[in-house]
Amino acid sequence: MRALTWTPLSPPSTVTRTTVTLRRISLRRNRVCVRATASSSATVSGGGTVEAVELVEIGERSKKWKWKGEYSINYFVKSSPEEVTPASQTVLLVHGFGASIPHWRRNINALSKNHTVYAIDLLGFGASDKPPGFSYTMESWAELILNFLEEVVQKPTILIGNSVGSLACVIAASESRGDLVKGLVLLNCAGGMNNKAVFDDWRIKLLMPLLLLIDFLLKQRGIASALFNRVKDRDNLKNILTNVYGNKDNVDDTLVEIIAGPANSEGALDAFVSILTGPPGPNPIKLIPEITKPVLVLWGDQDGLTPLDGPVAKYFTSLPGQLPNFNLYVLEGVGHCPQDDRPDLVHERLLPWLAQLSST
């Protein structure tokens, strides 16, 4: 066990120093990844002080972009002009299932101190359109991301995604040409749009008959509506999120509203059914070898949705010893959504990585 003490890039003024403890864990064939935990001189909600963007600011400053001339896509952009330099990066934040731009509220300010930050609501989520009858696929979200970079951002961009947002970023990066995608940051990357993607996990094999039954039931409108109403009930939703997060203190009323609010909008039920019953999409294990851009992978070790001992996480933890463009850190005590669960731990890895990318 060894400890490194260092000051993160552009930390909040109330945090003077953060101590990071690294513990090496052995993997097959002697490959190594790193576990990270942290303590800070000023702590809230189990971690270092983090300045969050107010939901009101996100709502008031969000913009609209017309995708394919038909679908309204909600996005947010923020930077600090006095601190952005030619070496600064442009990043795009892509949320996971059921989430939206505010799920990055604890990260936007830290990133925008030195970089230009875009965040997007994928089609079917947040304040973006939820068109009736639309067949949601991972490929369509990846296409949306690439079109957004081409038409709105118009700069080489680092994609930062969580869960299915990570997978959409992987697909987009594998299909991009030139320098449109400059790098990738994957936070607990999903193996597919839904659980049907991971066939080589014994847990999924065991549950497959049940998953197929659920698919059938969800295609019955009345049953789907009753299930969706139960899921989006705020008390039930809080219980679900408590199981998803390692840091229970961050499962607050604001988080519940971030998830529940858009779920009450028109088209949300159709999106819910289409995503859960649709094709899982491309497997990240097959796409990753095609990507030569720098990649940072952060994985919460308390994730029950894409567990560290599951096939997807096992594959990613094997990559640092195989591919020179990969860095991976396991975050202790963190669940499926590291950016909101323990943003301080994410920033301690993400901000120096971005700075290093700027200098190369």
Side-chain angles (χ1 to χ4, degrees):
M1 176 96 54
R2 61 191 178 93
L4 302 179
T5 302
W6 56 300
T7 302
L9 181 64
S10 299
S13 58
T14 54
V15 179
T16 57
R17 190 175 66 177
T18 302
T19 300
V20 181
T21 301
L22 306 183
R23 178 154 58 89
R24 299 167 72 84
I25 55 176
S26 297
L27 302 174
R28 291 177 300 176
R29 298 179 186 174
N30 297 319
R31 288 188 288 265
V32 171
C33 68
V34 178
R35 287 188 182 272
T37 60
S39 60
S40 176
S41 57
T43 59
V44 292
S45 298
T49 299
V50 174
E51 180 188 357
V53 178
E54 296 292 338
L55 300 191
V56 172
E57 179 184 352
I58 293 175
E60 291 178 348
R61 293 185 53 186
S62 288
K63 303 178 180 181
K64 300 294 183 182
W65 164 63
K66 212 73 169 177
W67 183 40
K68 297 187 174 182
E70 184 177 2
Y71 306 115
S72 177
I73 302 298
N74 188 58
Y75 74 95
F76 178 83
V77 58
K78 185 172 185 178
S79 63
S80 301
E82 70 277 4
E83 297 186 43
V84 173
T85 69
S88 297
Q89 305 291 348
T90 298
V91 304
L92 173 62
L93 308 177
V94 184
H95 61 80
F97 176 73
S100 56
I101 293 168
H103 208 200
W104 300 97
R105 70 198 183 283
R106 303 185 199 271
N107 317 105
I108 291 173
N109 280 337
L111 286 167
S112 65
K113 290 181 185 298
N114 293 89
H115 309 288
T116 300
V117 180
Y118 287 83
I120 193 170
D121 284 341
L122 294 172
L123 190 73
F125 296 111
S128 288
D129 277 353
K130 303 168 185 64
F134 189 88
S135 295
Y136 293 89
T137 64
M138 292 304 313
E139 293 90 340
S140 64
W141 285 329
E143 182 185 8
L144 186 157
I145 290 170
L146 289 176
N147 291 164
F148 184 78
L149 297 184
E150 293 165 348
E151 298 179 22
V152 180
V153 181
Q154 298 183 345
K155 294 178 182 177
T157 302
I158 296 167
L159 303 179
I160 304 177
N162 172 227
S163 188
V164 293
S166 280
L167 180 54
C169 290
V170 169
I171 300 169
S174 70
E175 296 178 351
S176 68
R177 297 295 177 265
D179 293 327
L180 189 62
V181 176
K182 190 176 180 180
L184 278 176
V185 180
L186 310 177
L187 308 176
N188 290 61
C189 185
M193 190 169 71
N194 46 54
N195 280 337
K196 296 192 295 292
V198 190
F199 287 103
D200 54 347
D201 187 334
W202 66 268
R203 289 161 290 202
I204 298 300
K205 290 179 180 179
L206 189 64
L207 291 173
M208 188 53 64
L210 177 60
L211 294 174
L212 294 176
L213 174 61
I214 292 173
D215 267 17
F216 172 76
L217 294 175
L218 283 173
K219 291 175 182 177
Q220 317 306 310
R221 186 74 179 186
I223 296 175
S225 180
L227 177 62
F228 187 53
N229 287 336
R230 187 171 181 81
V231 169
K232 69 179 182 178
D233 173 82
R234 281 168 169 75
D235 290 336
N236 290 334
L237 193 55
K238 190 164 189 176
N239 288 333
I240 293 170
L241 291 167
T242 299
N243 289 325
V244 170
Y245 276 55
N247 177 17
K248 313 304 181 185
D249 290 339
N250 276 5
V251 182
D252 54 18
D253 291 340
T254 300
L255 175 62
V256 172
E257 182 57 35
I258 287 170
I259 307 298
N264 289 312
S265 59
E266 185 177 356
L269 172 60
D270 288 343
F272 174 78
V273 172
S274 177
I275 293 165
L276 291 185
T277 62
N283 190 322
I285 294 174
K286 296 180 180 179
L287 298 178
I288 287 296
E290 303 174 14
I291 298 172
T292 58
K293 305 294 184 181
V295 180
L296 173 65
V297 179
L298 302 178
W299 213 283
D301 71 345
Q302 298 301 306
D303 185 358
L305 299 178
T306 50
L308 199 58
D309 63 348
V312 178
K314 281 184 177 179
Y315 170 74
F316 276 102
T317 55
S318 76
L319 293 177
Q322 299 181 42
L323 302 176
N325 58 319
F326 263 77
N327 288 281
L328 180 141
Y329 297 95
V330 174
L331 308 181
E332 289 192 338
V334 180
H336 187 63
C337 308
Q339 77 279 8
D340 191 54
D341 190 328
R342 284 296 302 272
D344 56 318
L345 289 181
V346 170
H347 298 163
E348 285 159 5
R349 292 304 172 192
L350 175 57
L351 296 180
W353 184 83
L354 290 172
Q356 184 180 31
L357 210 59
S358 299
S359 63
T360 58

